[in-house]
Amino acid sequence: MLVENLKDGKYKLTITPESPSKETTFQEHKDKFIYQKERTVGFRRDKKLSKFVGLRDGYSKQLEFSLISVAIDGVDKIPKNRVNFTSVSVEDDWVVHTLNKIKFFNEVDNTNYRNMIEIEEPLSSLEVTYEIHTKGIKVSNRLSNNRYVPNEEQFTFVDNGNRNTLFIIDRPVVIDSDGNEYSIVEHILYRQGDRLLYKKKIGQISNRYKFPLYVYANVIYDLDLHGVGVGFISSSGP
């Protein structure tokens, strides 16, 4: 599957043939799939839900995600004792996680990491919750009643020392199979004791949409190319 940003604000989704890719984006290591060009993004190959992906700016600045809950119509699809995805693989330059019949597609380029869940039929509600683990960085948004207040629908992570902006979690969207984009996703970054949690949630999704749908979460890490104009991203590797 390929996603192309068109000039009219829509997206073109193309299902690619099931054949080996000529040039893969990801390096296959014994324990990880690694994207390492201008930036370093790594995915665990042992199928663990915990810290399944990590974004790195050198050794000392890291942003990692664990999948905690996938609640569809109020029913959590991850039992409390479950610790693994069903499978993890590279398909056409995507890292694909499956959790029973649910698919998560992971896309990486020089400016963004995107994690999206595929929805194949109407539902009453969807809530996907991640735990975020940080090293050498912190959230700069204002904290109010254990919830961070988004700035222009974004959450920003800055260097602990010089406070340069390193990562931004952008507003998530839904894209249907015709490439139409819908801003129907609420996202929340909040504290639960010592834990930092991130949730994307949608209300009812009716059959008026063109299925399958892809619910995006997007992390920006090349800020100058996105016109943010603050901070820096080191090109140092691991």
PDB file of all heavy atoms in Angstrom, residues 55-64 133-138 158-160 166-167:
ATOM      1  N   LEU A  55      12.045   6.161  18.249  1.00  0.00           N
ATOM      2  CA  LEU A  55      12.620   7.209  17.407  1.00  0.00           C
ATOM      3  C   LEU A  55      13.803   7.789  18.161  1.00  0.00           C
ATOM      4  O   LEU A  55      13.680   8.129  19.345  1.00  0.00           O
ATOM      5  CB  LEU A  55      11.602   8.301  17.105  1.00  0.00           C
ATOM      6  CG  LEU A  55      10.392   7.913  16.247  1.00  0.00           C
ATOM      7  CD1 LEU A  55       9.336   7.177  17.056  1.00  0.00           C
ATOM      8  CD2 LEU A  55       9.773   9.154  15.626  1.00  0.00           C
ATOM      9  N   ARG A  56      14.925   7.904  17.483  1.00  0.00           N
ATOM     10  CA  ARG A  56      16.154   8.282  18.171  1.00  0.00           C
ATOM     11  C   ARG A  56      16.813   9.481  17.520  1.00  0.00           C
ATOM     12  O   ARG A  56      16.935   9.557  16.300  1.00  0.00           O
ATOM     13  CB  ARG A  56      17.125   7.097  18.175  1.00  0.00           C
ATOM     14  CG  ARG A  56      18.455   7.388  18.844  1.00  0.00           C
ATOM     15  CD  ARG A  56      19.374   6.193  18.805  1.00  0.00           C
ATOM     16  NE  ARG A  56      18.847   5.073  19.587  1.00  0.00           N
ATOM     17  CZ  ARG A  56      19.441   3.905  19.663  1.00  0.00           C
ATOM     18  NH1 ARG A  56      20.546   3.673  18.986  1.00  0.00           N
ATOM     19  NH2 ARG A  56      18.912   2.936  20.404  1.00  0.00           N
ATOM     20  N   ASP A  57      17.249  10.399  18.371  1.00  0.00           N
ATOM     21  CA  ASP A  57      18.116  11.501  17.959  1.00  0.00           C
ATOM     22  C   ASP A  57      19.433  11.302  18.704  1.00  0.00           C
ATOM     23  O   ASP A  57      19.615  11.796  19.800  1.00  0.00           O
ATOM     24  CB  ASP A  57      17.473  12.843  18.317  1.00  0.00           C
ATOM     25  CG  ASP A  57      18.395  14.007  17.999  1.00  0.00           C
ATOM     26  OD1 ASP A  57      18.894  14.082  16.876  1.00  0.00           O
ATOM     27  OD2 ASP A  57      18.645  14.813  18.912  1.00  0.00           O
ATOM     28  N   GLY A  58      20.333  10.512  18.108  1.00  0.00           N
ATOM     29  CA  GLY A  58      21.540  10.120  18.811  1.00  0.00           C
ATOM     30  C   GLY A  58      21.192   9.118  19.905  1.00  0.00           C
ATOM     31  O   GLY A  58      20.116   8.535  19.930  1.00  0.00           O
ATOM     32  N   TYR A  59      22.110   8.897  20.831  1.00  0.00           N
ATOM     33  CA  TYR A  59      21.868   7.955  21.924  1.00  0.00           C
ATOM     34  C   TYR A  59      20.985   8.530  23.019  1.00  0.00           C
ATOM     35  O   TYR A  59      20.215   7.823  23.670  1.00  0.00           O
ATOM     36  CB  TYR A  59      23.203   7.535  22.559  1.00  0.00           C
ATOM     37  CG  TYR A  59      23.914   6.436  21.812  1.00  0.00           C
ATOM     38  CD1 TYR A  59      25.156   6.665  21.242  1.00  0.00           C
ATOM     39  CD2 TYR A  59      23.347   5.175  21.681  1.00  0.00           C
ATOM     40  CE1 TYR A  59      25.827   5.669  20.556  1.00  0.00           C
ATOM     41  CE2 TYR A  59      23.997   4.168  20.997  1.00  0.00           C
ATOM     42  CZ  TYR A  59      25.242   4.411  20.430  1.00  0.00           C
ATOM     43  OH  TYR A  59      25.886   3.430  19.755  1.00  0.00           O
ATOM     44  N   SER A  60      21.110   9.828  23.252  1.00  0.00           N
ATOM     45  CA  SER A  60      20.576  10.394  24.488  1.00  0.00           C
ATOM     46  C   SER A  60      19.163  10.945  24.374  1.00  0.00           C
ATOM     47  O   SER A  60      18.571  11.328  25.379  1.00  0.00           O
ATOM     48  CB  SER A  60      21.510  11.508  24.976  1.00  0.00           C
ATOM     49  OG  SER A  60      21.620  12.527  23.996  1.00  0.00           O
ATOM     50  N   LYS A  61      18.590  11.003  23.169  1.00  0.00           N
ATOM     51  CA  LYS A  61      17.253  11.565  22.978  1.00  0.00           C
ATOM     52  C   LYS A  61      16.382  10.526  22.283  1.00  0.00           C
ATOM     53  O   LYS A  61      16.586  10.220  21.105  1.00  0.00           O
ATOM     54  CB  LYS A  61      17.315  12.847  22.131  1.00  0.00           C
ATOM     55  CG  LYS A  61      18.329  13.887  22.615  1.00  0.00           C
ATOM     56  CD  LYS A  61      17.916  14.483  23.937  1.00  0.00           C
ATOM     57  CE  LYS A  61      18.868  15.600  24.362  1.00  0.00           C
ATOM     58  NZ  LYS A  61      20.190  15.107  24.758  1.00  0.00           N
ATOM     59  N   GLN A  62      15.401   9.987  23.016  1.00  0.00           N
ATOM     60  CA  GLN A  62      14.578   8.913  22.467  1.00  0.00           C
ATOM     61  C   GLN A  62      13.103   9.117  22.800  1.00  0.00           C
ATOM     62  O   GLN A  62      12.747   9.621  23.863  1.00  0.00           O
ATOM     63  CB  GLN A  62      15.033   7.550  23.016  1.00  0.00           C
ATOM     64  CG  GLN A  62      16.428   7.149  22.602  1.00  0.00           C
ATOM     65  CD  GLN A  62      16.795   5.758  23.092  1.00  0.00           C
ATOM     66  OE1 GLN A  62      15.935   4.926  23.325  1.00  0.00           O
ATOM     67  NE2 GLN A  62      18.078   5.505  23.262  1.00  0.00           N
ATOM     68  N   LEU A  63      12.263   8.699  21.856  1.00  0.00           N
ATOM     69  CA  LEU A  63      10.813   8.692  22.008  1.00  0.00           C
ATOM     70  C   LEU A  63      10.324   7.311  21.590  1.00  0.00           C
ATOM     71  O   LEU A  63      10.522   6.907  20.447  1.00  0.00           O
ATOM     72  CB  LEU A  63      10.183   9.776  21.127  1.00  0.00           C
ATOM     73  CG  LEU A  63       8.663   9.923  21.143  1.00  0.00           C
ATOM     74  CD1 LEU A  63       8.197  10.457  22.494  1.00  0.00           C
ATOM     75  CD2 LEU A  63       8.210  10.856  20.026  1.00  0.00           C
ATOM     76  N   GLU A  64       9.722   6.563  22.534  1.00  0.00           N
ATOM     77  CA  GLU A  64       9.307   5.193  22.263  1.00  0.00           C
ATOM     78  C   GLU A  64       7.822   5.028  22.572  1.00  0.00           C
ATOM     79  O   GLU A  64       7.278   5.710  23.436  1.00  0.00           O
ATOM     80  CB  GLU A  64      10.114   4.201  23.109  1.00  0.00           C
ATOM     81  CG  GLU A  64      11.608   4.232  22.819  1.00  0.00           C
ATOM     82  CD  GLU A  64      12.389   3.337  23.769  1.00  0.00           C
ATOM     83  OE1 GLU A  64      12.240   3.522  24.998  1.00  0.00           O
ATOM     84  OE2 GLU A  64      13.133   2.465  23.289  1.00  0.00           O
ATOM     85  N   HIS A 133       7.379   6.516  26.177  1.00  0.00           N
ATOM     86  CA  HIS A 133       8.583   6.470  27.011  1.00  0.00           C
ATOM     87  C   HIS A 133       9.579   7.475  26.444  1.00  0.00           C
ATOM     88  O   HIS A 133       9.811   7.507  25.228  1.00  0.00           O
ATOM     89  CB  HIS A 133       9.185   5.067  26.997  1.00  0.00           C
ATOM     90  CG  HIS A 133       8.169   3.968  27.153  1.00  0.00           C
ATOM     91  ND1 HIS A 133       7.780   3.476  28.379  1.00  0.00           N
ATOM     92  CD2 HIS A 133       7.461   3.284  26.223  1.00  0.00           C
ATOM     93  CE1 HIS A 133       6.879   2.529  28.200  1.00  0.00           C
ATOM     94  NE2 HIS A 133       6.660   2.387  26.896  1.00  0.00           N
ATOM     95  N   THR A 134      10.162   8.278  27.290  1.00  0.00           N
ATOM     96  CA  THR A 134      11.082   9.313  26.834  1.00  0.00           C
ATOM     97  C   THR A 134      12.438   9.180  27.507  1.00  0.00           C
ATOM     98  O   THR A 134      12.545   8.694  28.636  1.00  0.00           O
ATOM     99  CB  THR A 134      10.520  10.717  27.116  1.00  0.00           C
ATOM    100  OG1 THR A 134      10.352  10.877  28.533  1.00  0.00           O
ATOM    101  CG2 THR A 134       9.190  10.932  26.422  1.00  0.00           C
ATOM    102  N   LYS A 135      13.446   9.636  26.804  1.00  0.00           N
ATOM    103  CA  LYS A 135      14.795   9.719  27.356  1.00  0.00           C
ATOM    104  C   LYS A 135      15.423  11.007  26.861  1.00  0.00           C
ATOM    105  O   LYS A 135      15.529  11.238  25.654  1.00  0.00           O
ATOM    106  CB  LYS A 135      15.644   8.522  26.906  1.00  0.00           C
ATOM    107  CG  LYS A 135      17.079   8.544  27.426  1.00  0.00           C
ATOM    108  CD  LYS A 135      17.853   7.329  26.931  1.00  0.00           C
ATOM    109  CE  LYS A 135      19.306   7.366  27.417  1.00  0.00           C
ATOM    110  NZ  LYS A 135      20.082   6.198  26.928  1.00  0.00           N
ATOM    111  N   GLY A 136      15.785  11.881  27.793  1.00  0.00           N
ATOM    112  CA  GLY A 136      16.444  13.136  27.434  1.00  0.00           C
ATOM    113  C   GLY A 136      15.529  14.187  26.849  1.00  0.00           C
ATOM    114  O   GLY A 136      15.993  15.227  26.397  1.00  0.00           O
ATOM    115  N   ILE A 137      14.207  13.926  26.839  1.00  0.00           N
ATOM    116  CA  ILE A 137      13.247  14.887  26.292  1.00  0.00           C
ATOM    117  C   ILE A 137      12.056  14.991  27.243  1.00  0.00           C
ATOM    118  O   ILE A 137      11.859  14.146  28.111  1.00  0.00           O
ATOM    119  CB  ILE A 137      12.761  14.485  24.880  1.00  0.00           C
ATOM    120  CG1 ILE A 137      12.042  13.125  24.929  1.00  0.00           C
ATOM    121  CG2 ILE A 137      13.911  14.451  23.906  1.00  0.00           C
ATOM    122  CD1 ILE A 137      11.449  12.703  23.594  1.00  0.00           C
ATOM    123  N   LYS A 138      11.253  16.041  27.061  1.00  0.00           N
ATOM    124  CA  LYS A 138      10.061  16.223  27.879  1.00  0.00           C
ATOM    125  C   LYS A 138       9.002  16.973  27.079  1.00  0.00           C
ATOM    126  O   LYS A 138       9.297  17.610  26.063  1.00  0.00           O
ATOM    127  CB  LYS A 138      10.396  16.986  29.148  1.00  0.00           C
ATOM    128  CG  LYS A 138      10.961  18.382  28.924  1.00  0.00           C
ATOM    129  CD  LYS A 138      11.366  19.020  30.247  1.00  0.00           C
ATOM    130  CE  LYS A 138      12.011  20.387  30.033  1.00  0.00           C
ATOM    131  NZ  LYS A 138      12.460  20.982  31.319  1.00  0.00           N
ATOM    132  N   VAL A 158      10.629  18.469  23.749  1.00  0.00           N
ATOM    133  CA  VAL A 158      11.822  19.297  23.636  1.00  0.00           C
ATOM    134  C   VAL A 158      12.982  18.651  24.392  1.00  0.00           C
ATOM    135  O   VAL A 158      12.790  17.806  25.269  1.00  0.00           O
ATOM    136  CB  VAL A 158      11.573  20.721  24.187  1.00  0.00           C
ATOM    137  CG1 VAL A 158      10.465  21.414  23.406  1.00  0.00           C
ATOM    138  CG2 VAL A 158      11.244  20.688  25.675  1.00  0.00           C
ATOM    139  N   ASP A 159      14.186  19.061  24.023  1.00  0.00           N
ATOM    140  CA  ASP A 159      15.399  18.633  24.709  1.00  0.00           C
ATOM    141  C   ASP A 159      15.341  19.066  26.172  1.00  0.00           C
ATOM    142  O   ASP A 159      14.986  20.204  26.477  1.00  0.00           O
ATOM    143  CB  ASP A 159      16.601  19.271  23.993  1.00  0.00           C
ATOM    144  CG  ASP A 159      17.933  18.767  24.505  1.00  0.00           C
ATOM    145  OD1 ASP A 159      18.213  18.895  25.711  1.00  0.00           O
ATOM    146  OD2 ASP A 159      18.722  18.252  23.684  1.00  0.00           O
ATOM    147  N   ASN A 160      15.683  18.143  27.078  1.00  0.00           N
ATOM    148  CA  ASN A 160      15.664  18.473  28.505  1.00  0.00           C
ATOM    149  C   ASN A 160      16.580  19.638  28.852  1.00  0.00           C
ATOM    150  O   ASN A 160      16.312  20.410  29.774  1.00  0.00           O
ATOM    151  CB  ASN A 160      16.087  17.263  29.340  1.00  0.00           C
ATOM    152  CG  ASN A 160      14.950  16.289  29.575  1.00  0.00           C
ATOM    153  OD1 ASN A 160      13.794  16.600  29.293  1.00  0.00           O
ATOM    154  ND2 ASN A 160      15.274  15.111  30.064  1.00  0.00           N
ATOM    155  N   LEU A 166      12.347  18.691  19.383  1.00  0.00           N
ATOM    156  CA  LEU A 166      12.867  17.509  18.707  1.00  0.00           C
ATOM    157  C   LEU A 166      11.789  16.682  18.021  1.00  0.00           C
ATOM    158  O   LEU A 166      12.002  16.173  16.924  1.00  0.00           O
ATOM    159  CB  LEU A 166      13.633  16.622  19.705  1.00  0.00           C
ATOM    160  CG  LEU A 166      14.888  17.231  20.311  1.00  0.00           C
ATOM    161  CD1 LEU A 166      15.550  16.223  21.258  1.00  0.00           C
ATOM    162  CD2 LEU A 166      15.866  17.647  19.231  1.00  0.00           C
ATOM    163  N   PHE A 167      10.647  16.522  18.669  1.00  0.00           N
ATOM    164  CA  PHE A 167       9.565  15.716  18.102  1.00  0.00           C
ATOM    165  C   PHE A 167       8.233  16.426  18.325  1.00  0.00           C
ATOM    166  O   PHE A 167       8.028  17.067  19.353  1.00  0.00           O
ATOM    167  CB  PHE A 167       9.486  14.329  18.769  1.00  0.00           C
ATOM    168  CG  PHE A 167      10.751  13.531  18.690  1.00  0.00           C
ATOM    169  CD1 PHE A 167      11.570  13.395  19.805  1.00  0.00           C
ATOM    170  CD2 PHE A 167      11.124  12.893  17.520  1.00  0.00           C
ATOM    171  CE1 PHE A 167      12.729  12.651  19.755  1.00  0.00           C
ATOM    172  CE2 PHE A 167      12.284  12.143  17.455  1.00  0.00           C
ATOM    173  CZ  PHE A 167      13.092  12.026  18.568  1.00  0.00           C
TER     174      PHE A 167
END
